[in-house]
Amino acid sequence: MRSVDDLEVAGRRVLVRSDLNVPLEDGRITDDGRIRASVPTISSIVDRGGRAIVLAHLGRPKGEVNPAYSLAPVAKRLEELLGRPVRFATDVVGESAQATVAALGDGEVALLENVRFEPGETKGDAALAQQMADLGELYVGDAFGAVHRAHASVSGIPALLPHAAGYLVAKELDVLRRLTDEPERPYVVVLGGAKVSDKLGVVTNLLGVVDRLLIGGGMAYTFLKAQGHEVGGSLLEADQVDVVRGMIAEADKRGVELVLPVDIMVADAFSETANTKVVAADAIPADMEGLDIGPRTVEAFSAALADAKTVFWNGPMGVFEMKPFAVGTLGIARAVAATSGLSVVGGGDSAAAVRQLGLTDDQFGHISTGGGASLEFLEGRELPGVTALQD
């Protein structure tokens, strides 16, 4: 796989697929982590005299123009972080995009409007890929958060233009390979989040690699149910209970230490003002629901992480967006940060939780920009955007 450094970019139009999919509230960016992560690759191109044409998506506008998903606020923040003007096109391949690209000089940057405003983007439409390719001469794939999608701007364009990987994609792949190719041991994986079904593949694959597997968050209740415990109104995937029983047996067979919650913070309503109490994991009241792991579980998980040389964490331990149920996630975040080995936070809600709870990126070895992509990599699945860059 070639690097952006291998491309002769001076005086040439370089299409850069970046991941600028940041959270917005009332048109204001609440976390610019992904924009910051995209800056080095774009800067490399323009510093060497290239003309950077940035392609990106925001949210899921479902192929329709929707001002709520416009990249206009992102263009302003990107301009600030790059320290140079960013021309913004109000469409993807239309008159505005063509005029904006035509006006670009060497060392200048343009950002095109949300590629998902085009219905052909998520369908991997070849005609749209060709229209986008016609705007450039070279292609750099740097949107790790989208490489698991066979979209027009992700896997379509590199089939049409000389291409290379950006710094972010290269870094993400390097870190993830360290998690799969002879990782330093003990190797501990912490999984949380809402559903077991979202992580079936990665759990199955990891059972052959890890030393310890810690399960928290909403998915833990299906594990507790599989052990025969009452889970009350907690999140439960009843159709996955038998599958989870098989996973528990497989972990035991392979000698993987499976660590489940020993206590739970339960509430009488899904509300920040609900009545709460901590109960043993095998004693959840039928009329209450678990919304966070308890303090003894934080201690047990922290102990299981203490000597780890490699850690991968994906998924919060509870409903961290509500203050009463953020304690477990914060405790695990601190424990992961305290490990002496490689600590990787697997993007998505985990990365959001780290920043929302006041921890900084430099407290961890790596915070991935792509939760879904990192999980699919660890699951052993092919990533179309990566495969396209290898051709």
Side-chain angles (χ1 to χ4, degrees):
M1 184 185 295
R2 287 194 297 175
S3 164
V4 61
D5 292 336
D6 298 323
L7 297 179
E8 295 292 338
V9 300
R12 306 183 77 181
R13 303 185 312 278
V14 186
L15 293 171
V16 188
R17 180 54 164 99
S18 299
D19 183 2
L20 306 179
N21 186 27
V22 294
L24 293 174
E25 287 183 11
D26 300 321
R28 184 178 61 86
I29 297 168
T30 58
D31 180 356
D32 66 358
R34 283 177 168 164
I35 306 176
R36 289 180 179 275
S38 300
V39 165
T41 294
I42 299 169
S43 292
S44 170
I45 292 166
V46 294
D47 286 348
R48 291 184 286 144
R51 306 177 182 190
I53 304 157
V54 183
L55 303 165
H57 75 276
L58 181 66
R60 296 178 178 177
K62 300 180 180 179
E64 298 180 357
V65 176
N66 184 336
Y69 296 107
S70 174
L71 284 170
V74 174
K76 294 178 182 178
R77 183 60 181 143
L78 181 60
E79 186 171 87
E80 293 170 356
L81 292 171
L82 285 170
R84 65 179 76 216
V86 173
R87 300 172 185 261
F88 181 64
T90 57
D91 56 30
V92 181
V93 292
E95 291 182 3
S96 179
Q98 293 176 36
T100 300
V101 170
L104 270 188
D106 294 351
E108 293 186 342
V109 183
L111 173 62
L112 309 187
E113 185 54 284
N114 192 338
V115 291
R116 290 188 182 175
F117 283 177
E118 292 286 342
E121 166 64 9
T122 57
K123 298 174 183 176
D125 183 72
L128 176 61
Q130 184 64 65
Q131 287 179 291
M132 290 187 284
D134 288 343
L135 295 171
E137 300 167 82
L138 303 169
Y139 175 87
V140 175
D142 204 38
F144 181 75
V147 293
H148 57 315
R149 307 296 188 192
H151 291 176
S153 68
V154 177
S155 59
I157 303 177
L160 303 170
L161 294 175
H163 50 264
Y167 298 136
L168 177 60
V169 161
K171 180 182 179 182
E172 294 270 12
L173 292 174
D174 177 64
V175 170
L176 290 173
R177 285 174 181 137
R178 291 172 65 187
L179 297 178
T180 55
D181 300 342
E182 299 183 2
E184 286 194 62
R185 299 184 180 280
Y187 179 14
V188 182
V189 169
V190 187
L191 294 178
K195 296 181 178 180
V196 172
S197 56
D198 290 342
K199 297 184 171 74
L200 282 176
V202 73
V203 171
T204 300
N205 209 42
L206 286 173
L207 286 177
V209 184
V210 302
D211 298 301
R212 297 178 201 132
L213 182 59
L214 284 50
I215 303 291
M219 63 185 290
Y221 302 107
T222 302
F223 277 80
L224 294 174
K225 188 70 172 180
Q227 292 183 321
H229 303 314
E230 170 67 54
V231 297
S234 307
L235 187 63
L236 173 67
E237 290 184 280
D239 61 335
Q240 301 296 330
V241 170
D242 287 341
V243 174
V244 168
R245 284 197 187 102
M247 287 180 172
I248 294 172
E250 185 66 18
D252 183 61
K253 176 182 175 183
R254 290 177 176 266
V256 174
E257 184 181 350
L258 181 64
V259 186
L260 298 176
V262 293
D263 61 347
I264 299 291
M265 171 73 78
V266 296
D268 61 2
F270 190 83
S271 166
E272 197 156 2
T273 58
N275 295 310
T276 64
K277 63 179 178 179
V278 176
V279 300
D282 60 358
I284 298 174
D287 60 348
M288 301 187 85
E289 60 182 312
L291 296 180
D292 194 11
I293 57 174
R296 287 198 299 125
T297 301
V298 172
E299 290 178 6
F301 281 17
S302 297
L305 285 160
D307 65 345
K309 295 302 181 186
T310 305
V311 177
F312 176 72
W313 170 35
N314 180 276
M317 298 293 102
V319 188
F320 72 93
E321 298 89 347
M322 298 184 194
K323 191 173 181 178
F325 313 115
V327 178
T329 300
L330 178 58
I332 298 312
R334 286 174 172 162
V336 171
T339 57
S340 61
L342 172 65
S343 57
V344 180
V345 180
D349 285 343
S350 308
V354 162
R355 295 176 179 127
Q356 182 176 315
L357 297 174
L359 285 83
T360 58
D361 290 20
D362 61 7
Q363 291 178 262
F364 301 88
H366 179 67
I367 297 182
S368 179
T369 57
S374 61
L375 284 175
E376 290 198 16
F377 183 95
L378 294 179
E379 192 177 331
R381 294 172 62 176
E382 180 180 293
L383 306 178
V386 173
T387 301
L389 295 175
Q390 291 172 332
D391 292 341

